[in-house]
């Protein structure tokens, strides 16, 4: 079984367990614990009427959020189960999106067809993320924006978490090297990026060491969104520390996640 078949099987199985009614779409972009998407939203500006391709749409939180903001969204995933969940979530939220099953490294889309291509937590699932970035560039209109966020490979704390949380992720995941930014810069006319979660990773340690939450029973990266109101006071103090830490040379690479917005 190749990587794509394993990813499809894993995510189809996950899709079958998702409670669509329990998803609060707004939180995935506006919660304090969603700094990656808050960064991307600032860079995108007004998206009303824009054609948007959501790559690796998962349960559809992103497509539905963008549709509620007025974008014309295509929710795509290699997992048909996830695409179906995304369509259900759109119905629950009173918006229309198009759902398509596609491979991110060989998109079934014509050149220059989207204003925005968005991907969250997708590239680290691919054997060659650069192919997906090239495809994002290809299907974008001139002046269009590619935006993605994914985990980085450099932080020792999060790497221990990955080794422990084996049941809630696929075995072939490969977190990104921060030098992927240089590749994006080579393809696009303008590139902005930032990294997130340094001191704020204390929240993960708290889940594990103090609250004794099994990382194979609950996905920590979902929990930080679902419980953002409880976590807000602690998170906001730590985020201020992160702002200082990121001014230290080379510290950005040790963050958990990277977010990139690039203009064709």
């Amino acid at each position: 079984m190749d990587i794509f078949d394993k990813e499809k099987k894993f995510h189809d199985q996950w899709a079958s367990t998702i409670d669509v009614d329990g998803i609060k779409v707004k939180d995935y972009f506006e919660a304090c614990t969603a700094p990656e998407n808050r960064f991307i939203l600032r860079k995108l500006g007004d998206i009303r009427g824009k054609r948007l391709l959501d790559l690796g749409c998962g349960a559809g939180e992103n497509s539905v959020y963008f549709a509620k903001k007025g974008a014309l969204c295509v929710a795509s995933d290699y997992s048909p189960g996830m695409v179906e969940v995304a369509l259900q979530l759109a119905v629950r939220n009173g918006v229309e999106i198009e759902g398509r099953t596609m491979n991110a490294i060989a998109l079934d889309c014509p050149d220059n067809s989207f204003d925005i291509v968005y991907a969250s937590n997708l590239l680290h699932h691919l054997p060659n993320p650069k192919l997906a970035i090239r495809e994002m560039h290809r299907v974008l209109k001139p002046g269009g924006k590619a935006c993605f966020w994914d985990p980085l490979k450099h932080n020792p704390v999060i790497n221990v978490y990955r080794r422990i949380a084996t049941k809630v992720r696929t075995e072939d995941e490969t977190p990104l090297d921060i030098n992927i930014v240089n590749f994006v810069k080579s393809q696009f006319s303008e590139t902005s990026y930032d990294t997130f979660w340094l001191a704020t990773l204390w929240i993960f340690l708290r889940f594990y060491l103090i609250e004794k939450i099994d990382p194979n029973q609950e996905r920590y990266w979902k929990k930080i969104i679902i419980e953002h109101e409880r976590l807000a006071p602690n998170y906001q103090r730590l985020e201020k520390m992160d702002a200082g830490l990121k001014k230290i040379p080379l510290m950005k690479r040790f963050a958990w996640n990277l977010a990139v917005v690039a203009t064709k």
Side-chain angles (χ1 to χ4, degrees):
M1 186 181 293
D2 70 12
I3 289 175
F4 288 103
D5 287 338
K6 284 190 280 187
E7 290 284 345
K8 176 180 175 296
K9 181 179 179 181
F10 178 89
H11 286 90
D12 278 348
Q13 172 60 32
W14 182 3
S16 71
T17 69
I18 293 173
D19 172 20
V20 173
D21 292 327
I23 297 175
K24 296 181 180 178
V25 170
K26 181 176 158 183
D27 290 351
Y28 285 85
F29 283 82
E30 299 179 17
C32 65
T33 48
E36 305 87 354
N37 275 332
R38 289 189 282 114
F39 169 81
I40 288 171
L41 288 177
R42 288 195 299 272
K43 297 295 182 181
L44 286 181
D46 188 358
I47 63 171
R48 285 175 295 180
K50 300 287 180 69
R51 279 184 50 78
L52 186 148
L53 175 62
D54 178 11
L55 284 181
C57 66
E61 300 97 334
N62 315 308
S63 293
V64 171
Y65 181 85
F66 288 128
K68 288 168 81 84
K69 294 295 181 182
L72 308 173
C73 294
V74 176
S76 69
D77 203 288
Y78 199 66
S79 160
M82 283 297 190
V83 174
E84 182 57 36
V85 172
L87 292 172
Q88 292 173 18
L89 186 66
V91 171
R92 295 289 200 285
N93 283 268
V95 294
E96 289 187 14
I97 63 173
E98 179 185 348
R100 295 184 62 188
T101 302
M102 282 195 287
N103 188 330
I105 66 172
L107 295 174
D108 183 20
C109 302
D111 297 354
N112 309 315
S113 52
F114 291 96
D115 300 293
I116 300 166
V117 180
Y118 170 93
S120 67
N121 273 325
L122 168 70
L123 297 184
H124 73 288
H125 288 280
L126 304 175
N128 189 340
K130 290 181 180 179
L131 293 179
I133 291 169
R134 286 198 179 101
E135 280 291 88
M136 293 167 82
H137 183 276
R138 179 182 68 79
V139 303
L140 277 171
K141 299 174 183 177
K145 294 184 184 297
C147 39
F148 67 85
W149 63 272
D150 269 273
L152 291 168
K153 71 178 187 181
H154 311 286
N155 186 287
V157 173
I158 205 71
N159 285 337
V160 170
Y161 166 73
R162 287 189 188 101
R163 285 196 292 271
I164 296 171
T166 54
K167 294 181 181 177
V168 293
R169 62 182 188 84
T170 52
E171 63 184 6
D172 297 302
E173 291 179 19
T174 307
L176 303 183
D177 189 298
I178 197 167
N179 289 323
I180 195 78
V181 172
N182 294 329
F183 177 76
V184 176
K185 289 178 177 178
S186 75
Q187 303 294 303
F188 289 81
S189 65
E190 183 181 337
T191 301
S192 300
Y193 80 96
D194 202 352
T195 64
F196 304 92
W197 299 87
L198 285 162
T200 35
L201 280 176
W202 162 248
I203 289 173
F204 274 44
L205 290 173
R206 181 183 177 88
F207 285 164
Y208 187 71
L209 297 173
I210 298 175
E211 299 180 15
K212 306 294 185 184
I213 295 162
D214 185 343
N216 283 304
Q217 296 298 317
E218 290 193 55
R219 291 175 165 90
Y220 284 11
W221 66 91
K222 290 284 186 182
K223 190 175 181 66
I224 58 174
I225 298 296
I226 294 167
E227 300 186 15
H228 69 95
E229 292 179 350
R230 174 176 77 90
L231 300 172
N234 199 15
Y235 175 85
Q236 287 164 347
R237 284 193 297 271
L238 293 167
E239 189 179 53
K240 290 177 182 177
M241 293 176 62
D242 281 356
L245 287 170
K246 286 190 291 186
K247 293 176 182 177
I248 301 171
L250 300 180
M251 277 300 290
K252 274 192 171 187
R253 71 190 292 112
F254 291 105
W256 172 28
N257 284 330
L258 164 74
V260 175
V261 179
T263 303
K264 182 171 177 177

